[in-house]
Amino acid sequence: MRKLVAISVVLGWMAMLPGRNAAWAVEVSGPVQLDQRVHLFIDDFLIERTDRVWRTLNRSRKAPENPIIKPDRPWEGYLVLQPGSVIYDPNQRQFQMWYNALATETDSDIDQFLCYAISQDGVHWEKPELGLVEFRGSKANNIVLRWCNWNHSVIRDPDDPDPDRLYKMVYWQTHDKDRCGIWSAFSPDGIRWTDSDRNPGVPCWASGDTFSVMKDPVSRQFWLYHKTSPGGPRKLSRLVSDDFIHWRDNDLVLEPDEHDSPGTEFYGLSAFPYGSQYLGLLWVFHTSLQTMDVQIVSSRDGITWDRSVHRRPFVTLGYQRNQYSGYSFDSGMAWPATAPVSRNGSLWFYYSGFDNLHNAPSAEHTGQLGLARIRQDAFCSFDATAEGYVLTRPLKFSGTNLDVNVQLLSGAKPGADAPWRGIFNDRPDQGGYLRVEVLDESGDAIPGYEAEKSNLAGMDDIFRKVSWEGKKDVKDLQGKPVRLKFVLSRAKLYSFRIN
């Protein structure tokens, strides 16, 4: 594991390096108190030592149905999620999507529309006739808002006591020159929107035209990550609000550094809470090529972002035009919507795809919408061929059951979706395994919790419960400082939880 910049932490993040977003290691004074949420291996916060394992970025897999939404209505010049939003409504049991339809050279009367679509399976989408906004003399369309220029971000907030504020949106409005900037709006259903009378919450001069919003489950504040470029390349800052109307604390959070390729800029950050931390889909703009792709970043506080999971694309660009096979719809640029949707043991990432470059005239853009997926928690993993281990720092917990999200190679030939080809030999006598040992403060195995006594029991398609011969759970260890040692071979270890 490579050497990292150290940041002192006492039972959490207490200090941060200013102005940097390089990877960090942590020095913990005393055991880390675990909550009962999922803990990923995407950074080194919980890791003390590893041996014969490596951390892998698991790239997303694109849906074969891509592009899942094309511009096929008269009011749709080209389509974009910047970042746009896709939400699964558990009450209506359907997916909801908000996307922009923008003008092309031949459709100049398209007035920067915000459109709405629904789906039962997240792949095949319906564009309902809403009867709200007139286009060419008719309201038979799925337009919910006019003059939403490029950028918008929607969240569903069931904690708000006002039912008319169940859905909240920020969007970029430049049509009203006296009130240009980031506007806030509210809706009871995601279709009928009412603008705040305090707009703009952020004037044009104080932000760029790319931003996303999330609600922090800890502070209950709203965080808005936006593009800025004061005197240099594009970078990212964060604004905070208690009411979704007034925004404050404009803090720089991400900027390119010496480890990035020359000409790298950061165009946007789609941030969201995940398990015990925050994750972000970083829009990386390569100015020399005029292309854009997506990297994964993580944070423990929403301000300092860790980039230790390889600075390689998480959502890759499609194939380029050539004399043999044409081109894909996302060969020039790809950038993500806000938070992924969790469905049936996997995470679904919706994104914008363009087959042209960033510096192409806006009227010539050919934006369409795509979908990519990964296994739940599988942003990255610790992988092993021969036996290796991952050892945590001292931990304390209050839960009873230790569950792991792990993928084992059983010895059978992997299927088309397995990421093992080129890494593992398909030998039937070498099945994968994971064993867990619990150590005391001195580093000795606690009797009854030795690795050779551990077993995995299948709970569902994702998590497996760890038990030991004579020990069905870790209830006896509650409140005690312990280390967990994950011993694995021919396996991918994604996450764990104690609940």
Side-chain angles (χ1 to χ4, degrees):
M1 188 175 297
R2 67 191 184 97
K3 186 177 180 180
L4 305 174
V5 179
I7 299 176
S8 178
V9 174
V10 180
L11 295 181
W13 300 103
M14 301 298 291
M16 290 147 287
L17 287 176
R20 283 299 174 192
N21 40 268
W24 61 77
V26 293
E27 297 175 0
V28 177
S29 175
V32 177
Q33 184 68 50
L34 295 185
D35 57 37
Q36 297 189 14
R37 294 174 293 180
V38 164
H39 302 280
L40 303 177
F41 294 107
I42 201 165
D43 62 19
D44 292 325
F45 179 60
L46 297 178
I47 306 303
E48 181 173 288
R49 187 165 64 252
T50 64
D51 184 51
R52 288 170 292 178
V53 300
W54 66 92
R55 182 181 277 134
T56 297
L57 169 69
N58 298 303
R59 288 175 171 169
S60 60
R61 292 176 176 269
K62 297 180 181 179
E65 297 88 353
N66 279 347
I68 58 169
I69 299 186
K70 303 177 182 180
D72 56 6
R73 302 292 194 271
W75 54 91
E76 296 178 334
Y78 64 95
L79 309 184
V80 62
L81 292 167
Q82 187 170 329
S85 299
V86 181
I87 295 172
Y88 183 78
D89 183 347
N91 297 326
Q92 300 184 55
R93 297 184 179 180
Q94 68 179 10
F95 292 79
Q96 299 173 286
M97 177 188 289
W98 296 263
Y99 65 93
N100 285 103
L102 303 177
T104 65
E105 189 172 5
T106 57
D107 296 296
S108 58
D109 61 338
I110 296 175
D111 294 330
Q112 303 166 350
F113 294 133
L114 178 68
C115 297
Y116 177 77
I118 55 175
S119 173
Q120 299 302 310
D121 62 5
V123 176
H124 304 92
W125 291 83
E126 174 189 352
K127 301 174 181 179
E129 293 186 0
L130 303 176
L132 298 176
V133 178
E134 183 174 309
F135 177 74
R136 296 178 185 173
S138 172
K139 292 185 178 181
N141 57 60
N142 66 326
I143 303 170
V144 298
L145 196 65
R146 176 183 274 116
W147 308 124
C148 176
N149 187 8
W150 277 94
N151 198 96
H152 71 278
S153 181
V154 177
I155 62 172
R156 188 174 184 272
D157 184 16
D159 297 328
D160 196 314
D162 185 349
D164 289 334
R165 292 168 53 101
L166 175 62
Y167 291 86
K168 297 176 171 63
M169 174 173 63
V170 285
Y171 69 97
W172 189 242
Q173 204 277 86
T174 59
H175 180 68
D176 186 342
K177 299 301 182 183
D178 295 330
R179 302 173 66 196
C180 171
I182 300 177
W183 284 34
S184 298
F186 305 94
S187 172
D189 53 12
I191 299 173
R192 295 169 292 121
W193 292 92
T194 301
D195 289 325
S196 166
D197 57 7
R198 301 276 184 165
N199 285 329
V202 183
C204 274
W205 57 264
S207 178
D209 61 355
T210 303
F211 46 85
S212 68
V213 70
M214 57 162 278
K215 184 173 184 178
D216 176 33
V218 179
S219 67
R220 318 307 293 174
Q221 296 172 330
F222 302 100
W223 294 351
L224 189 149
Y225 292 91
H226 65 120
K227 178 178 68 178
T228 59
S229 54
R234 295 172 178 89
K235 58 196 72 171
L236 300 167
S237 299
R238 189 191 74 169
L239 290 159
V240 175
S241 176
D242 298 312
D243 59 6
F244 210 80
I245 297 173
H246 303 88
W247 300 91
R248 66 178 190 277
D249 302 338
N250 191 25
D251 296 316
L252 177 66
V253 297
L254 271 166
E255 60 181 329
D257 60 25
E258 65 275 11
H259 301 293
D260 289 302
S261 301
T264 298
E265 298 185 359
F266 295 159
Y267 214 86
L269 178 68
S270 300
F272 51 95
Y274 194 96
S276 60
Q277 60 191 122
Y278 308 97
L279 300 181
L281 304 172
L282 180 63
W283 311 16
V284 182
F285 179 36
H286 309 280
T287 59
S288 58
L289 300 174
Q290 291 292 300
T291 60
M292 198 179 310
D293 51 37
V294 184
Q295 294 179 11
I296 291 288
V297 295
S298 65
S299 177
R300 296 282 167 172
D301 61 2
I303 291 288
T304 303
W305 290 86
D306 186 303
R307 301 181 63 201
S308 61
V309 186
H310 314 303
R311 303 185 183 199
R312 296 199 299 269
F314 174 69
V315 178
T316 59
L317 295 181
Y319 54 84
Q320 297 282 350
R321 183 189 301 271
N322 58 49
Q323 64 268 39
Y324 302 108
S325 58
Y327 61 95
S328 67
F329 83 102
D330 54 1
S331 59
M333 295 186 290
W335 61 71
T338 47
V341 178
S342 178
R343 296 298 296 159
N344 303 321
S346 63
L347 299 173
W348 295 26
F349 300 84
Y350 293 88
Y351 69 97
S352 298
F354 292 82
D355 62 16
N356 48 16
L357 302 179
H358 181 268
N359 59 356
S362 293
E364 297 178 8
H365 278 316
T366 55
Q368 302 178 77
L369 309 183
L371 169 64
R373 304 183 183 96
I374 61 169
R375 175 190 174 103
Q376 183 177 319
D377 302 347
F379 299 93
C380 71
S381 56
F382 274 122
D383 297 0
T385 49
E387 183 175 285
Y389 68 82
V390 178
L391 180 66
T392 71
R393 301 178 186 276
L395 312 172
K396 283 186 178 181
F397 55 85
S398 59
T400 298
N401 297 311
L402 172 60
D403 305 327
V404 293
N405 183 348
V406 62
Q407 192 173 17
L408 307 177
L409 183 62
S410 64
K413 189 172 183 179
D417 292 333
W420 308 97
R421 297 190 186 279
I423 301 177
F424 296 94
N425 296 320
D426 299 323
R427 293 175 54 183
D429 59 337
Q430 292 192 3
Y433 58 83
L434 172 71
R435 300 176 183 132
V436 183
E437 187 165 81
V438 187
L439 312 178
D440 60 21
E441 285 188 286
S442 301
D444 299 321
I446 298 175
Y449 293 95
E450 296 88 353
E452 59 270 20
K453 294 182 179 179
S454 71
N455 300 292
L456 295 181
M459 299 172 55
D460 51 38
D461 292 336
I462 299 299
F463 283 101
R464 303 189 187 197
K465 180 180 178 181
V466 182
S467 62
W468 294 261
E469 296 174 13
K471 300 281 188 180
K472 65 179 182 178
D473 53 41
V474 291
K475 184 178 180 179
D476 295 343
L477 304 177
Q478 291 179 352
K480 299 178 182 179
V482 299
R483 290 179 173 86
L484 299 178
K485 185 176 182 180
F486 300 94
V487 182
L488 61 154
S489 176
R490 290 169 65 79
K492 296 174 73 69
L493 177 60
Y494 300 111
S495 66
F496 74 96
R497 66 187 182 191
I498 303 177
N499 58 19

